[in-house]
Structures are given as structure tokens and as C-alpha cells.
Amino acid sequence: MRITVLGKSPSWQDVDGACSGYLIQGGGQVVLLDCGPGVFAKLRKHVAYEDVDAVVISHLHADHILDLVTFASGIRYRPWPGEPPRPRLLAPPGGPEAFAQVCAGAGMTADHLELAFELSVYDPAEALALGALAVRFQPVPHYIPANAVEFAEGDARFTFGADCGPSQALCEFAAGTDLLMLEATLPEPEPPDDRGHLTALEAGEHAARAGARQLVLTHFTAELGAERIVAEARRAFDGPVSAAHEGASYDLSQ
Ligand SMILES: [Zn+2]
Ligand SMILES: [Zn+2]
């Protein structure tokens, strides 16, 4: 299984960056995890968009979904004949309604995404399979419902924390994972009654509690500095730590 970072920026993009988006290739599948602003162009550097089998959405914030509109335009309006691709789009509950509002509010038809994708709503309590990839979800604390997502091919596990505040449930979900990708959005924790993101130090603490083999920090602005956040996470986690950047890829063997 190969994981490639397409976008690691938070809700505003770095120079030449993109918001949340990750390419997962394994189990005979090409999967896009999240599709934030800028991700569609980054995707095309690595694969033809016609070859994407499925898109999985962690939660419905703008920085995780807005390039679905662009992706759908690529599918619907591409200027050559033939049957267009129809990738699956696996959305969290509320996805179809949110997508219809986004598309209608932006001058498209409300069904713009449904005309391009095979849209379905996943139940975060249920595991599912994409080819030979096993997919599991774990609800995590955020300002709106959000789900950590695990992809496993054989014994190889990749766990993506989505956007989340401190969560023991996430540590248990990710226990022993090969690659834990956690957000490191904040320079300092938010007030205790308003948690929806992590600092890099907290990401390190979560990786240590999970016993992850490797930690990759993501969803941080370049203004925070990759070296600084890696150093912060290393204060709590003594395994390998790195900061995501667009184009970085990680190979996990089964
Ligand atoms: Zn979010
Ligand atoms: Zn986000």
C-alpha cells in the first residue's frame, strides 16, 4: 500500500500547496481520501483522474470537500467521447445534503456531484471493503461530526486521524498501526471546552499512547514550520516522526 500526500495544508493553502487530500494505492484500488481545495490538480500529477476508483470523505468541512466540485466537472465536461468514469464517493452522514447545498449555492445544479460520482453514505460504525482494502472509521471530536479512517491491506495499516481534538478513542482505534497520520494544526491548545484540533506535541502524545510505528504530522500551515512541529512531537513520541509535504509518499508492506 502506498500513501501519497496530495495536500497537507489546513483550511488555507500554503504557497503551491493544497488542503486535505491523500492518495492511497493498494488492494487493486486507487482511492482519494478527502478532496480539499487544490487537491484535484495535485492528484493529476500522480494518476489520471479517470483511474480513481473511490473517494472517501472524513468530514464535511470546506477544506476537505470543495475540490469534489472541480473533480465532478472534470468527469462531466471532459472533451472527449466515451463512457465517463464513475468513481464511488463515500460520504459521511449528511454528505448528500451538504454537497447539494454547495453545488446549488455555487451556480451548479444541486445534483452536480451525484451525476459524476456513485454517491453513497457510509456508516462510521461499519467497516467496508474497497477491493482488497479494508476500511474502518472512528468518530473523533471536532466542531462537526468527523471520522478517523483506517485503510488496511493484509497486515499493513494506515490510520488517518482526520481533524480531531484530543481523543483516547482515536489512540485505541490506531493501536499498533504502521503509519499514523495526525493533524498538528495548533501552535497552542484551544480552551479545554472548545477542542477540535491538536498541537504537534499532542499528536506525539497520541502516537505514543497508540504505540504507532511511525507518525506523520499533517494539516499544518507552513507558517508554523515543519522542523518546529516535528521537534515538538518528538518530545512525546520516540518513534520516527516526519512532517507531511505535498508529494511525499510512504510505502507499507503487507
Ligand atoms: Zn475540519
Ligand atoms: Zn481541516
Side-chain angles (χ1 to χ4, degrees):
M1 179 165 51
R2 166 169 282 194
I3 299 101
T4 303
V5 177
L6 302 178
K8 69 90 187 147
S9 297
S11 53
W12 67 104
Q13 292 134 304
D14 296 323
V15 175
D16 292 330
C19 295
S20 190
Y22 306 89
L23 176 64
I24 293 129
Q25 293 165 286
Q29 296 281 293
V30 177
V31 179
L32 175 61
L33 171 59
D34 283 347
C35 193
V39 165
F40 184 63
K42 301 290 188 187
L43 172 76
R44 299 181 71 186
K45 292 178 109 172
H46 299 277
V47 294
Y49 64 88
E50 295 91 337
D51 292 340
V52 172
D53 296 296
V55 184
V56 178
I57 299 296
S58 68
H59 69 296
L60 297 169
H61 269 152
D63 54 318
H64 298 252
I65 66 166
L66 283 186
D67 253 17
L68 286 172
V69 177
T70 316
F71 195 161
S73 295
I75 291 170
R76 294 187 60 205
Y77 307 145
R78 63 193 197 125
W80 56 83
E83 192 67 23
R86 191 163 173 78
R88 295 181 66 185
L89 171 57
L90 294 112
E97 297 80 6
F99 298 153
Q101 286 184 332
V102 166
C103 291
M108 320 295 290
T109 59
D111 58 358
H112 179 60
L113 294 195
E114 294 193 43
L115 291 171
F117 296 98
E118 189 70 48
L119 175 60
S120 61
V121 174
Y122 64 77
D123 177 351
E126 297 285 328
L128 57 88
L130 295 172
L133 285 178
V135 185
R136 297 192 303 140
F137 302 94
Q138 169 62 51
V140 288
H142 194 44
Y143 305 113
I144 61 172
N147 300 292
V149 189
E150 177 187 275
F151 292 86
E153 182 185 22
D155 293 332
R157 291 169 61 204
F158 163 58
T159 310
F160 172 65
D163 288 9
C164 77
S167 169
Q168 179 58 28
L170 175 60
C171 295
E172 291 164 12
F173 177 71
T177 191
D178 295 295
L179 173 56
L180 180 57
M181 189 172 283
L182 289 183
E183 67 140 281
T185 309
L186 302 173
E188 300 292 337
E190 305 124 321
D193 59 352
D194 191 30
R195 297 306 312 267
H197 290 294
L198 297 175
T199 67
L201 176 62
E202 289 171 329
E205 290 168 350
H206 281 64
R209 292 200 327 250
R213 295 220 170 146
Q214 177 182 176
L215 171 64
V216 176
L217 302 169
T218 193
H219 204 270
F220 64 95
T221 172
E223 292 151 305
L224 273 181
E227 287 182 18
R228 174 186 151 177
I229 64 166
V230 167
E232 281 288 300
R234 282 193 176 134
R235 288 172 54 202
F237 179 62
D238 58 12
V241 182
S242 59
H245 60 87
E246 281 87 7
S249 66
Y250 310 87
D251 289 306
L252 302 180
S253 54
Q254 298 183 56

